[in-house]
Amino acid sequence: MAIGITVITTANRARRFLQTDEAALEQTIESIKRSNQMFTGKPLIVSSAAQTEVFARTSIACVEFEAARDLSPYVASPLNLVLTALTPEQVTDPVAGWVEGDERFSVRIDFFFNGGHVLHTLAEGVRRAALAERLMNLTSFLERPVMNYRSALGGVGLMNPAAIARFVITPGTADVPRDAWLADPA
């Protein structure tokens, strides 16, 4: 088995790596299991016989992992939703979000990172019954240590919420805090 790793920085640069050594694969899977610590602490170091690259954790927007093996069971899912990165073709499709009664929802969320990287996702999940819970999910999004998503190619990705400049939910949500500004885009 092999794991393709893509590190996307806040300088909007993507560095790709391929890992084929079995021992190294297991070490990476252990790191994925501790994904809540991915963007804190020591720098991320990716090394080979050819070179060693060191990434400041605060300068990482996203890390994506592609493998034949399903890696999703190894990442924590702190939200009541599943984020799936959109393909370039899906990005150009009209947004068709919906809320099914008080139970399920499907919306598009576009994440804009410091440095210009944009991650377009489809968010699907179970709608929380209590308004307070729905508002907390919305307002605490950027305070989480990590957010995971399914990559467009079927792997998993980890987002650094500290590197997100803003995000846009389409269609808009009616459940916003009382102090939210109500205005249409110009």
Side-chain angles (χ1 to χ4, degrees):
M1 182 178 95
I3 294 179
I5 303 168
T6 303
V7 179
I8 303 163
T9 69
T10 55
N12 202 15
R13 301 285 186 263
R15 291 289 296 134
R16 290 177 174 76
F17 304 93
L18 181 63
Q19 199 171 55
T20 57
D21 178 72
E22 235 7 85
L25 293 170
E26 289 308 313
Q27 183 177 354
T28 299
I29 289 172
E30 287 302 314
S31 291
I32 293 171
K33 288 178 184 176
R34 295 185 313 273
S35 61
N36 279 341
Q37 302 167 5
M38 181 64 68
F39 303 113
T40 61
K42 297 178 184 179
L44 173 64
I45 301 171
V46 182
S47 188
S48 70
Q51 66 183 31
T52 298
E53 281 193 55
V54 181
F55 297 90
R57 301 274 179 158
T58 57
S59 72
I60 300 172
C62 301
V63 181
E64 294 186 347
F65 304 91
E66 305 293 334
R69 177 173 162 186
D70 181 15
L71 300 175
S72 60
Y74 302 118
V75 294
S77 186
L79 300 171
N80 64 316
L81 58 87
V82 174
L83 295 170
T84 304
L86 299 176
T87 64
E89 297 79 26
Q90 292 170 318
V91 170
T92 60
D93 290 344
V95 176
W98 49 267
V99 175
E100 185 179 281
D102 285 339
E103 296 176 11
R104 300 197 47 76
F105 65 88
S106 176
V107 296
R108 178 171 163 172
I109 304 178
D110 298 317
F111 295 94
F112 297 84
F113 292 85
N114 299 327
H117 177 63
V118 180
L119 178 62
H120 305 282
T121 67
L122 175 66
E124 298 176 298
V126 176
R127 194 163 185 247
R128 297 286 186 189
L131 176 62
E133 286 183 83
R134 293 192 306 268
L135 292 176
M136 190 172 115
N137 277 349
L138 181 65
T139 58
S140 68
F141 227 51
L142 301 176
E143 297 170 2
R144 300 179 185 283
V146 67
M147 292 186 336
N148 67 62
Y149 59 95
R150 294 178 184 159
S151 70
L153 301 175
V156 297
L158 302 172
M159 250 186 274
N160 182 358
I164 297 172
R166 68 184 176 104
F167 61 93
V168 178
I169 302 170
T170 308
T173 176
D175 299 329
V176 295
R178 276 182 266 180
D179 59 350
W181 296 359
L182 303 179
D184 293 318

